């Protein structure tokens, strides 16, 4: 009985995120400015298990490789709103740049945003 209950719990648990090291750290929508400025600068912070950008936070689940990057199953929220399911993509854009997109969230556009690596807060 314990083994079958444990098996059910393991199947229901989401797979842990595997964010590639190259995406970890702080990114800015306006090079040279690595502090959030509403309407002027967005700062994206990517951790091994999630990410945050102005008023949005995401826990990342299982991933799959895509051209130039990775796509994650994600649980995200905006502001104080409820958590909803969708996807997040991160793609490389040459030296020091990435493209970030929130997909399938009713409160977000699927349009990708471009970010440059911040000089501070780099992944180690």
């Amino acid at each position: 009985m314990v083994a079958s209950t444990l098996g059910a719990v393991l199947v229901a648990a989401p797979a842990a995120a595997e964010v590639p090291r190259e995406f970890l750290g702080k990114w800015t929508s306006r090079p040279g400015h690595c502090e959030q400025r509403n309407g002027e600068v967005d700062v994206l912070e990517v951790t091994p298990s999630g990410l945050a950008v102005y008023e949005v936070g995401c826990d990342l689940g299982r991933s799959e490789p895509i051209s130039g990057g990775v796509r994650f199953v994600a649980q995200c929220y905006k502001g104080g709103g409820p958590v909803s399911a969708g996807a997040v993509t991160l793609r490389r854009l040459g030296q020091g740049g990435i493209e970030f997109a929130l997909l399938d969230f009713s409160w977000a556009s699927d349009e990708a945003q471009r970010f440059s690596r911040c000089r501070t807060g780099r992944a180690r």
Side-chain angles (χ1 to χ4, degrees):
M1 177 78 169
V2 172
S4 64
T5 302
L6 180 59
V9 170
L10 292 176
V11 170
E18 295 180 25
V19 177
R21 184 175 172 81
E22 67 191 293
F23 294 114
L24 299 177
K26 284 178 79 174
W27 302 85
T28 179
S29 63
R30 188 168 169 205
H33 300 274
C34 287
E35 296 300 323
Q36 183 69 43
R37 291 186 193 162
N38 304 344
E40 293 180 38
V41 179
D42 283 326
V43 175
L44 170 67
E45 186 160 6
V46 182
T47 67
S49 62
L51 58 83
V53 67
Y54 182 66
E55 291 190 347
V56 174
C58 297
D59 289 325
L60 304 177
R62 79 176 180 279
S63 64
E64 64 179 342
I66 58 173
S67 177
V70 64
R71 177 185 173 112
F72 297 92
V73 171
Q75 297 289 321
C76 301
Y77 65 89
K78 180 175 172 107
V83 173
S84 55
V88 167
T89 61
L90 295 170
R91 293 181 195 264
R92 290 175 290 285
L93 292 177
Q95 188 84 11
I98 63 171
E99 188 176 80
F100 158 71
L102 293 165
L103 307 172
D104 305 322
F105 294 99
S106 62
W107 41 261
S109 165
D110 286 355
E111 186 175 322
Q113 298 175 313
R114 293 174 177 232
F115 290 85
S116 299
R117 168 97 47 206
C118 285
R119 289 185 183 183
T120 60
R122 288 182 187 242
R124 295 183 179 154

